[in-house]
Amino acid sequence: MSTPPPDPDPRPLTAVEHIKAGSDGLRGTLRASLAAPLTGALAPDDTHLLKFHGSYQQDDRDLREERRQQKLEPDYQFMIRTRLPGGVCTPAQWLALDELAGRFGNGTLRLTTRQAFQLHGVIKGDLQPTLAAINAALLDTIAACGDVNRNVMCNPDPAATALHAQVFPWAVRLSEHLLPRTRAYHEIWLGEERVAGGEPEPEPIYGRSFLPRKFKTAFAVPPSNDVDVLAHDLGFIAIADGDRLLGFDVSVGGGMGATHGDPTTYPRVADVIGFCTPEQLLAVAEQVVLIQRDHGDRRERKHARLKYTIAHRGLAWFTDELTRRLGWALAPARPYAFDHSGDRFGWARGADDRWRVTLHLDSGRVTDPPWPGVGPRLRTGLRELARIHRGELRLTPNQNLIVTGITDDARPAIEAVLAAHGLDGFRARRPARLHALACVALPTCGLAMAEAERALPAFADRLDDLLVAHGLAGQRLHLRITGCPNGCARPYLAEVALIGKGPGRYNLMLGGDQAGTRLAHLVRDNADEPTILALLDGLLGQYAAGRTANEAFGDYVVRTGAA
Amino acid sequence: MTARPQHPLPSLSADRAEALLGQVHALTADELNWLAGYAAGMAAARRAEPASLAPRAIAPTAAPPVAARPPITVLYGTHTGTSRGLAERLARRLTDGGATARLIRASDYDPRDLARERTLFIVVATHGDGDPADDTRALHDFVLGRRAPTLPELRFAVLGLGDSSYPKFCHVARLLDDRLAALGGRRLQPRGECDLDVDAVAGPWLDGATAAGLAEATPARGEGVVIPLHPPGPIVDEPAANGAAATRARPALATVLVSQPITAQGARKRVRHLELAIDEASLGYQPGDALAVWPVNPPTLVAEVIAAIGGAADAPVSRDGQERPLAAWLGDALELTRLHRPFLIAHAARAADPTSALAAALAADAPADALAALVASHQVIDVLQRFPAAWTAAELVGALRPLGPRSYSIASSLRACPGEAHLTVAQVEDVRAGQRRVGAASDFLARVGDGDPIRAFIEPNPAFRLPADDADIVMIGPGTGVAPFRGFVQDREATGARGRSWLVFGEQHRRSQFLYQLEWQRALARGVLTRLDVAFSRDQPHKVYVQDRLAEHGAELFAWLEGGAHLYLCGDARHMAPAVEATLIAVARRHGALDADGGADWLAALRAGGRYHRDVY
């Protein structure tokens, strides 16, 4: 290997780069941090390393000021995220996580926009037992967060069951292929002894410093684009001949995150650069990761995603580099068509004669009401369901849940559980609320500037009221709310997006399409909810009067320039 | 891991280098910056004096009249780090220009130091609807609050950061800037208000601040002094016997400045922190002393007692030659929350049922602890309600015992908090037969609000005093027993004491009951507290108490004590103190190779030698 040329970039590496490189294979001082008795927090450097192990240190921001006055440190607690490729789990795994949510967490489970589970509110002393118990349930949290390839998403509900059976295993293989090799996770959480010698394990893909930033991968199965494949660093779009998988169109350079007030940051829709066969997939993915490892910006974390590498150097440079590294070129991309990025709620029968039912969960939160009788008992209901269900459970990219593999005989019992616990909300719920997404935001997310999950139900209902008022009842509308511009709920692809700017204030963006292929644009900066609703009221009135046949709201806004 | 460097100077002994570097390693980056500037100033001064390598405390008491430039303080409050970056630039430019500048995050800054600042720059962000960043709240509250001192010596400038799309643009900076000026500070230059395009305003402001700061830092000949962080404040000795000090009979009035719960949601026992404004002539104290408070009984309880005897609140009643309304007697003159035997005997004599549990407990052949159990579980109102009896208002007032003051170990030092006494008050409360019952004083102190007066006097505790500055101390204070040690640590920081300090604290849960957690964390980071061990009994399957930590670290504890450390124990006398003493004896036996008697003798000798101090209750 030749010596790299002197680095002309005068900017220093970010602090996180030094932490990663000096972490002894992601071990850092995590053990000492966990044992430190005077605080519920980790040492600052260790908070960065903990992400690679699937957990974020957070604190209850609702209590911050109160606790400061109480002369207590913030209420430090940890969010734990599973790695769950394609969102597929067993009822036994569901039950294990449900039990942990009650014993160590805040009594809720959350299904994420990347088809993973999150536990919230775990305190430091309970972290190790929780992760060990997750492992005992044959799940893990490795690389669920951090500057690595995150949970690999995959459409969980193809109309053609046989095609899912061919695509999903590739999501699992890719997830495992891109896992870090360090044994730190097994030593710290699972009690594995470190092999004598002391040198960290070689990381053939990631090296000592891992990636410059997080890296996201998704598999779409047209016509569904529920994974929002173009929002990811790396995407694979299944191309099939009937039920037979031929290969994948490859997309690169998508990403959602931005920073308020910084025009050098922006969301970006990925470019489709060619086609590969299933056998070529791992090599393509690995080389895309390696290009980003070697060329991503390690001096400014705001610019460290693959989308900026491609935007700065050009797509032609990227495809040339990929071809050079692979030693061959991708085939030309094949045609595909997406209809929409939402879920298909309710009961459906697959080619295997088994039933599946897609349930709606607001923002993916699985919880019982704080007081009996004031709302549906979703957590209890899904626990009951998991006890009797013999098929699979699949988390959707829209934070919902599909119960699959239900036989004719089993269906009545499942129906009864759904009805008894209010899990059949999908039947009555109106479109804005049904298809909405929201990130966690307050009170636990450290980045949030405004409410998201907690504000969603009321706002979506107001929007549904407006649809009814304008004679648009039943019209599909994609609404997404995030508490900050980081974009966890992929808001920039929504028809209506609220992006948190401050308490009760949002940037309103409009004009994404329902297929998830076009970015929304900024319509109103830093507006409060009444202002936003008044603006939408007017626009929906224009839309009701002026739309063409089957024209969606986002398409209308863009076509007419109404906003 | 960073290895400790070899000490560089032959004149510095290995021991001293070890001790010094041990302290230095515990400092935060900001504190290191401050120390560097401080030390440089001292070194410059020493060069002008006859050479001396004798150790000098940073202690203000020993502060030499050296010539140096006054340090400039650069404070920042930040959420995203932008303010920190600007403050760092300013501090670096001031330092490069030859000034001594200390850079401090607002949350690491003791606002009481404001009165001692000469040149101050503040870079502060505003969030949301005009809110300060989390790290700025304490400073913000102090400066805008009524305890902010006048600042006639202060020269300052403020740079704000914000987003002009919000209505209250740079609100925090405006508030601080206006308030500092109102307190007497003089602006070195007008306030800067940065929008998202930060550098447009920040650049010129930093230029101006650098020039003004360097001008301020250039002392007129002979004027320069090192300004210690905590110069000695006025402090009283033992309260003088000339009548100025408040007494039990002639208490002084203290007023409430702060009354703040310091246990969080989920705590099984509630504790409140009070800050009282005191007149130091009448209520001056030393760390270790107690403040005795005359409580006022809960008004609801007074009303219940009056109702129980069918009396009238305003009925005039005489006792000891004085006539007052019944409610007044019951309110502030007589015990309602503590029973005593004479009252129970008087009550039993009036009670309708001679076979009641009360009568049984008072019988000559009753088990020894029957009466104690009844007294411990009942208040006057419980007895009146449970064992009906006929009382007139005058009879009841005559039979109840006089109300007594309640003492609380003072949790502050006058050196750190001039004109203030702080208390750590456990809420005494439980529910008996569906009725909430409270302690008279803790409920009183929970009821009083801002500015309310409290009758109080000092109870000196001469056996519970800090030792000489260079002596080590070991402080064992679980629960509210930690109160006097907060005063000790404050005092030692203010005096710059060189002795090491080791605190052992215990409670049930770290998350909700770690009393003064933030203050201890900061004291450790500053090196004021050398060591802190904690025992949270219910945070793990098996219970762990302070004595378990003492046993765990027995070798080190024994070494401290054999090395001359003073030992302090404060808190519960019934369970905690005996358990701790048994452990201390076991530690001495194990690590001093003593037999059973030898261990007890060792502890007795420690006490006789004036190195074991107890304040248990």
Side-chain angles (χ1 to χ4, degrees):
Chain A
M1 209 166 152
S2 62
T3 312
D7 187 349
D9 194 335
R11 299 171 302 153
L13 292 176
T14 62
V16 177
E17 289 300 323
H18 294 294
I19 293 168
K20 288 186 287 189
S23 70
D24 184 21
L26 302 179
R27 292 170 180 85
T29 56
L30 270 168
R31 277 180 190 278
S33 271
L34 291 169
L38 303 181
T39 172
L42 305 179
D45 284 3
D46 289 330
T47 61
H48 296 283
L49 300 177
L50 184 71
K51 296 176 184 177
F52 292 78
H53 298 252
S55 178
Y56 273 68
Q57 177 176 304
Q58 307 183 320
D59 72 278
D60 187 333
R61 294 173 59 184
D62 287 349
L63 298 178
R64 247 186 220 177
E65 174 57 13
E66 176 180 318
R67 288 180 63 94
R68 185 189 69 78
Q69 291 181 359
Q70 288 164 341
K71 303 180 189 294
L72 292 165
E73 69 181 10
D75 191 21
Y76 290 114
Q77 48 186 263
F78 295 83
M79 178 276 282
I80 297 173
R81 187 185 290 160
T82 64
R83 185 179 66 91
L84 195 71
V88 176
C89 74
T90 66
Q93 289 170 331
W94 182 285
L95 289 173
L97 291 170
D98 175 81
E99 197 267 334
L100 290 172
R103 182 146 55 107
F104 295 125
N106 67 354
T108 76
L109 280 173
R110 196 172 189 285
L111 317 189
T112 75
T113 55
R114 293 196 70 75
Q115 300 177 279
F117 288 98
Q118 281 181 187
L119 296 174
H120 290 264
V122 177
I123 62 171
K124 186 171 83 169
D126 292 335
L127 255 183
Q128 187 276 328
T130 305
L131 288 176
I134 288 174
N135 188 69
L138 306 181
L139 290 168
D140 66 59
T141 66
I142 304 173
C145 326
D147 297 342
V148 283
N149 182 52
R150 304 277 189 94
N151 193 44
V152 175
M153 294 177 65
C154 179
N155 164 273
D157 180 33
T161 309
L163 192 54
H164 180 269
Q166 295 167 71
V167 175
F168 169 67
W170 284 108
V172 176
R173 286 184 64 179
L174 180 56
S175 174
E176 286 169 3
H177 186 72
L178 294 178
L179 276 180
R181 299 287 185 262
T182 171
R183 301 302 292 175
Y185 185 89
H186 305 80
E187 293 164 15
I188 294 170
W189 312 110
L190 309 178
E192 182 178 287
E193 289 288 326
R194 186 169 191 178
V195 179
E199 277 299 299
E201 306 76 359
E203 293 280 0
I205 294 178
Y206 291 119
R208 280 173 65 212
S209 296
F210 297 85
L211 296 182
R213 198 75 167 77
K214 60 189 168 189
F215 190 92
K216 297 182 174 180
T217 307
F219 286 74
V221 181
S224 172
N225 188 24
D226 53 0
V227 297
D228 283 320
V229 69
L230 302 182
H232 303 261
D233 296 275
L234 175 59
F236 293 102
I237 301 163
I239 304 295
D241 176 11
D243 272 355
R244 193 169 64 87
L245 177 67
L246 299 178
F248 300 92
D249 276 358
V250 179
S251 63
V252 294
M256 291 283 98
T259 303
H260 284 317
D262 183 347
T264 68
T265 67
Y266 43 81
R268 186 175 188 277
V269 170
D271 296 293
V272 176
I273 58 171
F275 171 87
C276 72
T277 65
E279 294 70 31
Q280 294 171 327
L281 182 142
L282 292 181
V284 170
E286 180 173 327
Q287 293 307 326
V288 171
V289 167
L290 292 180
I291 293 173
Q292 174 59 5
R293 180 197 69 183
D294 296 342
H295 295 283
D297 188 348
R298 293 180 185 267
R299 292 165 162 82
E300 172 54 81
R301 285 184 69 78
K302 285 181 196 167
H303 299 155
R305 293 285 297 277
L306 176 61
K307 62 181 174 181
Y308 298 111
T309 312
I310 291 177
H312 295 161
R313 293 174 181 261
L315 190 63
W317 168 86
F318 184 85
T319 51
D320 288 350
E321 180 70 11
L322 183 61
T323 303
R324 188 182 70 75
R325 290 182 181 235
L326 285 168
W328 48 270
L330 294 174
R334 310 232 178 146
Y336 63 88
F338 290 135
D339 56 4
H340 65 78
S341 59
D343 284 338
R344 290 148 169 81
F345 292 98
W347 290 87
R349 194 168 189 148
D352 58 355
D353 280 346
R354 299 293 175 95
W355 291 95
R356 61 183 183 272
V357 60
T358 303
L359 309 176
H360 177 254
L361 299 163
D362 276 326
S363 304
R365 185 68 72 172
V366 179
T367 182
D368 283 342
W371 301 281
V374 299
R377 299 164 67 220
L378 303 178
R379 185 173 161 224
T380 301
L382 288 173
R383 187 189 308 129
E384 295 296 320
L385 188 147
R387 282 185 182 140
I388 61 169
H389 178 48
R390 309 222 170 273
E392 285 177 342
L393 296 165
R394 297 185 189 174
L395 284 56
T396 83
N398 288 300
Q399 308 173 299
N400 297 309
L401 185 68
I402 311 179
V403 188
T404 67
I406 304 169
T407 61
D408 285 331
D409 292 347
R411 181 169 165 171
I414 301 279
E415 292 254 33
V417 169
L418 300 185
H421 296 93
L423 284 162
D424 52 358
F426 63 87
R427 293 186 201 283
R429 212 148 273 163
R430 298 181 295 175
R433 176 129 171 225
L434 193 60
H435 297 293
L437 294 183
C439 66
V440 174
L442 297 169
T444 55
C445 178
L447 300 172
M449 303 171 186
E451 298 284 353
E453 176 182 338
R454 295 195 295 198
L456 175 86
F459 185 86
D461 285 348
R462 300 285 300 276
L463 190 53
D464 273 316
D465 290 345
L466 290 178
L467 288 173
V468 172
H470 291 290
L472 296 165
Q475 172 63 43
R476 171 188 277 269
L477 183 69
H478 285 189
L479 163 71
R480 296 177 178 181
I481 304 179
T482 58
C484 85
N486 212 31
C488 288
R490 302 187 287 275
Y492 305 102
L493 292 171
E495 295 182 275
V496 177
L498 272 63
I499 295 161
K501 188 113 194 253
R505 290 179 172 271
Y506 300 86
N507 283 358
L508 175 66
M509 301 184 76
L510 300 176
D513 64 338
Q514 295 188 349
T517 64
R518 183 178 65 220
L519 291 175
H521 59 272
L522 180 65
V523 168
R524 184 62 67 91
D525 179 69
N526 200 34
D528 60 15
E529 283 189 29
T531 306
I532 290 170
L533 285 166
L535 208 147
L536 288 172
D537 191 9
L539 286 173
L540 287 169
Q542 296 173 36
Y543 165 60
R547 63 178 168 156
T548 61
N550 299 322
E551 189 176 32
F553 179 62
D555 296 334
Y556 169 82
V557 167
V558 170
R559 176 177 64 84
T560 62
Chain B
M1 280 293 287
T2 49
R4 291 197 172 174
Q6 292 292 313
H7 66 85
L9 289 176
S11 58
L12 200 58
S13 76
D15 282 356
R16 278 180 55 218
E18 173 81 9
L20 183 63
L21 291 176
Q23 299 264 332
V24 169
H25 276 261
L27 297 180
T28 65
D30 291 342
E31 289 156 354
L32 286 167
N33 279 339
W34 168 81
L35 181 62
Y38 189 99
M42 286 187 79
R46 293 274 166 83
R47 277 186 216 110
E49 290 179 354
S52 166
L53 288 166
R56 293 247 199 172
I58 297 176
T61 46
V66 293
R69 293 171 170 184
I72 297 170
T73 299
V74 181
L75 287 180
Y76 65 90
T78 193
H79 186 64
T80 60
T82 312
S83 299
R84 179 177 54 220
L86 294 171
E88 282 169 356
R89 273 161 68 185
L90 177 57
R92 197 164 49 238
R93 286 162 68 174
L94 290 167
T95 308
D96 290 349
T100 304
R102 56 182 191 135
L103 173 70
I104 308 181
R105 188 171 190 172
S107 51
D108 294 330
Y109 183 73
D110 184 344
R112 290 192 178 90
D113 285 341
L114 264 182
R116 298 183 263 279
E117 300 289 356
R118 296 292 166 82
T119 310
L120 175 68
F121 294 105
I122 299 181
V123 184
V124 67
T126 295
H127 290 274
D129 282 330
D131 296 326
D134 288 333
D135 65 0
T136 319
R137 281 199 181 272
L139 178 72
H140 169 273
D141 293 354
F142 182 86
V143 170
L144 298 177
R146 56 201 172 91
R147 272 196 287 169
T150 56
L151 302 167
E153 306 282 341
L154 183 70
R155 306 287 178 266
F156 74 98
V158 177
L159 179 64
L161 284 85
D163 176 347
S164 61
S165 63
Y166 292 86
K168 293 186 174 175
F169 176 55
C170 285
H171 187 60
V172 177
R174 291 176 186 179
L175 288 175
L176 291 176
D177 187 49
D178 290 345
R179 177 68 167 157
L180 290 175
L183 292 168
R186 200 191 79 202
R187 285 191 188 88
L188 289 167
Q189 65 171 348
R191 176 176 66 241
E193 297 186 351
C194 302
D195 207 339
L196 292 175
D197 174 19
V198 171
D199 276 338
V201 172
W205 188 92
L206 288 177
D207 292 343
T210 306
L214 291 176
E216 288 291 317
T218 308
R221 206 191 319 265
E223 278 185 2
V225 290
V226 165
I227 301 172
L229 278 176
H230 290 280
I235 183 136
V236 294
D237 218 320
E238 292 288 344
N242 63 9
T247 62
R248 181 183 170 104
R250 304 186 67 173
L253 291 182
T255 53
V256 176
L257 292 168
V258 171
S259 174
Q260 169 67 50
I262 54 169
T263 47
Q265 298 174 10
R268 298 162 62 100
K269 298 182 291 187
R270 296 196 294 168
V271 176
R272 181 174 287 270
H273 173 77
L274 277 104
E275 301 185 1
L276 308 177
I278 57 165
D279 165 28
E280 291 185 22
S282 55
L283 291 172
Y285 64 90
Q286 293 194 40
D289 287 346
L291 186 80
V293 172
W294 286 99
V296 175
N297 282 317
T300 51
L301 180 62
V302 170
E304 277 186 274
V305 169
I306 292 170
I309 64 164
D314 55 359
V317 180
S318 292
R319 173 172 164 151
D320 304 333
Q322 196 184 353
E323 187 181 282
R324 302 176 75 202
L326 173 59
W329 283 114
L330 298 179
D332 63 13
L334 300 170
E335 286 285 359
L336 294 183
T337 58
R338 289 174 175 175
L339 285 171
H340 71 324
R341 185 182 165 89
F343 171 77
L344 291 173
I345 291 171
H347 185 83
R350 288 170 171 77
D353 180 4
T355 64
S356 70
L358 174 62
L362 289 166
D365 57 352
D369 54 359
L371 189 64
L374 192 137
V375 166
S377 60
H378 289 66
Q379 297 188 347
V380 169
I381 184 64
D382 300 313
V383 172
L384 293 177
Q385 289 176 346
R386 184 174 167 198
F387 311 109
W391 285 101
T392 65
E395 287 168 349
L396 185 69
V397 166
L400 290 170
R401 66 163 160 158
L403 187 65
R406 312 292 202 264
S407 292
Y408 294 93
S409 297
I410 296 172
S412 53
S413 157
L414 283 175
R415 286 192 172 89
C417 310
E420 295 179 15
H422 299 181
L423 304 180
T424 312
V425 180
Q427 302 280 104
V428 179
E429 58 190 335
D430 63 25
V431 173
R432 300 168 188 171
Q435 302 281 328
R436 179 168 177 269
R437 296 292 179 236
V438 298
S442 67
D443 187 71
F444 169 63
L445 292 172
R447 286 199 315 273
V448 292
D450 272 12
D452 282 349
I454 291 172
R455 295 179 297 159
F457 59 97
I458 296 295
E459 285 190 339
N461 190 357
F464 206 81
R465 287 272 182 270
L466 277 167
D469 275 359
D470 56 356
D472 295 339
I473 57 175
V474 178
M475 302 168 282
I476 304 166
T480 54
V482 81
F485 304 133
R486 183 173 180 267
F488 277 17
V489 171
Q490 281 186 357
D491 204 72
R492 291 204 125 191
E493 175 163 30
T495 58
R498 283 169 295 152
R500 298 177 298 168
S501 302
W502 179 357
L503 175 65
V504 186
F505 175 74
E507 252 298 352
Q508 293 174 333
H509 294 293
R510 177 175 69 200
R511 194 179 190 178
S512 56
Q513 294 172 286
F514 193 165
L515 306 182
Y516 303 111
Q517 180 186 27
L518 286 177
E519 296 188 3
W520 301 130
Q521 287 177 346
R522 288 180 194 144
L524 277 169
R526 285 200 297 267
V528 184
L529 193 58
T530 315
R531 172 169 185 162
L532 171 58
D533 285 284
V534 288
F536 292 103
S537 59
R538 295 175 195 230
D539 274 355
Q540 58 283 306
H542 58 287
K543 298 217 171 141
V544 176
Y545 298 103
V546 284
Q547 58 267 27
D548 299 310
R549 294 288 179 241
L550 298 176
E552 209 173 294
H553 305 294
E556 194 158 2
L557 175 64
F558 190 71
W560 276 55
L561 294 172
E562 288 296 281
H566 284 238
L567 178 65
Y568 296 84
L569 176 65
C570 182
D572 170 62
R574 277 188 66 199
H575 302 291
M576 187 276 291
V580 165
E581 293 201 345
T583 303
L584 290 171
I585 289 169
V587 163
R589 288 180 58 191
R590 170 139 186 245
H591 298 284
L594 304 171
D595 61 16
D597 287 347
D601 291 347
W602 172 86
L603 189 61
L606 199 65
R607 197 166 188 169
R611 289 201 292 122
Y612 176 31
H613 316 266
R614 282 162 43 106
D615 181 7
V616 301
Y617 39 83

